[in-house]
Structures are given as structure tokens and as C-alpha cells.
Amino acid sequence: GQETLLGHQLIDFEKVNWIKGPPLQHNHENLMAERLENYEDRVNLLYEKSKEFGSIPIFVTQYVKRKKKEKGELFYLAKHIEYDGYKINGVDISIMVDLLNQRTMTVCKKQNAVCLDPASDIEFDKDDFYDYVHPSDKGTRKIAEYLKQQLSPYIKKNTIKSSM
């Protein structure tokens, strides 16, 4: 069967083949058009449902380890996978995830919700992920610190007074 690069797996990123480019596809928005539209509809629905519950909607982007920065240069996963019959590599995947994240931020800003973009805001190191999507303990702490810092204005402080 075809390798999907999904699921939990320990990856030695030092042994992964990296390239500078180019992407294998060139019109990512068209390639993803229906999925992007459906994704935006689902994000809007999540916004509506969270408002029904009386919650403050919080949108958070997703980082996918398909690229790395080394000495100021970006490198991408060379391995290719199939997407709707098209071969794509790490450059393509990075572009496609960026399109999803951009759609998330567009909906978030349009709805005037809390918009958090750790995929762009956090500088991830090579050991912050143990596979392509799951952060290591170190990466989890980095994300948690970011979320704590960004969400602190929205968290109510404990107002219980001591009876002593």
C-alpha cells in the first residue's frame, strides 16, 4: 500500500532527505479549491456552534513538520506522496497547509474571534517534533507557553478571598 505519512511514528529528522525546492505542483489553490471551501464552511460552523454555547471562539493554526530552517535557509521534505492523483512533496504540503491556516485566520478575523497563529509565530527547532505532526515534550512546552501568553488576557483571575 501507499505510505500516507500519518499517525504516530518516531522519525529521525537527521536521516530525512531534504530539498530546497521546487514544488511538484504549481496551482495549489485550484488543486485544493473544493477542500478549502468545505474547510472554511466547517470553520464558520465551529464559530457558530461555539457562540451558541456562549464560548469565546479561539482559532489556532496548525504546524506540520515538512520544512526546516538551517543557517537561514528553508529546506523541505523531499519524499513525495499522492494527493488526489497528483504527486506532492514537502514544498507542496507546506504551501497547502499555509493555505488552510490562511483560511483559518481569514474566518477568525472576519468573525472577530481570538486568532492565534503559532504556525507562523513560533520558531520551531528540529527536536520540537517527533514526527511530522506531533510535537515532542519540548515542542509541547513551547506551544503551551505560547498559548498561555496569548490567552492570558482572556482568562479570568481567581477572585476567591481567603477567610484567614
Side-chain angles (χ1 to χ4, degrees):
Q2 178 182 329
E3 184 179 353
T4 60
L5 301 177
L6 296 175
H8 294 269
Q9 51 189 308
L10 184 58
I11 296 173
D12 184 349
F13 287 107
E14 295 297 322
K15 295 181 179 176
V16 169
N17 189 20
W18 299 94
I19 59 172
K20 289 185 181 181
L24 298 178
Q25 302 302 317
H26 296 287
N27 199 338
H28 299 90
E29 287 201 46
N30 282 350
L31 184 62
M32 297 178 66
E34 185 176 342
R35 283 190 173 104
L36 284 169
E37 187 175 317
N38 291 338
Y39 176 75
E40 184 172 338
D41 289 345
R42 290 191 306 274
V43 173
N44 276 308
L45 181 61
L46 285 170
Y47 170 81
E48 294 301 328
K49 293 294 182 187
S50 67
K51 291 300 281 186
E52 286 175 19
F53 286 117
S55 300
I56 298 172
I58 300 170
F59 293 84
V60 182
T61 59
Q62 175 70 43
Y63 179 84
V64 177
K65 177 99 174 141
R66 297 293 197 269
K67 62 185 173 184
K68 70 175 183 171
K69 190 181 281 189
E70 195 170 280
K71 297 178 183 172
E73 289 189 276
L74 282 176
F75 293 88
Y76 300 87
L77 182 68
K79 186 177 195 79
H80 67 269
I81 60 173
E82 190 174 303
Y83 178 88
D84 284 350
Y86 295 92
K87 285 185 179 181
I88 60 173
N89 63 19
V91 182
D92 298 295
I93 293 169
S94 291
I95 292 168
M96 294 162 82
V97 170
D98 286 349
L99 287 171
L100 289 166
N101 285 338
Q102 288 168 13
R103 197 63 65 107
T104 301
M105 291 293 98
T106 297
V107 171
C108 183
K109 289 172 184 168
K110 181 178 80 178
Q111 299 291 6
N112 201 26
V114 178
C115 308
L116 304 180
D117 191 8
S120 297
D121 294 343
I122 298 176
E123 185 78 28
F124 287 107
D125 299 320
K126 64 182 177 181
D127 58 347
D128 285 337
F129 285 79
Y130 66 84
D131 67 16
Y132 298 111
V133 294
H134 299 104
S136 64
D137 289 346
K138 180 178 174 262
T140 299
R141 283 190 295 278
K142 192 177 278 189
I143 294 167
E145 186 58 39
Y146 171 86
L147 293 174
K148 176 184 169 189
Q149 184 179 61
Q150 296 297 314
L151 293 173
S152 65
Y154 304 98
I155 298 171
K156 293 180 181 176
K157 303 294 183 204
N158 186 349
T159 57
I160 298 173
K161 295 182 181 177
S162 173
S163 60
M164 300 179 99

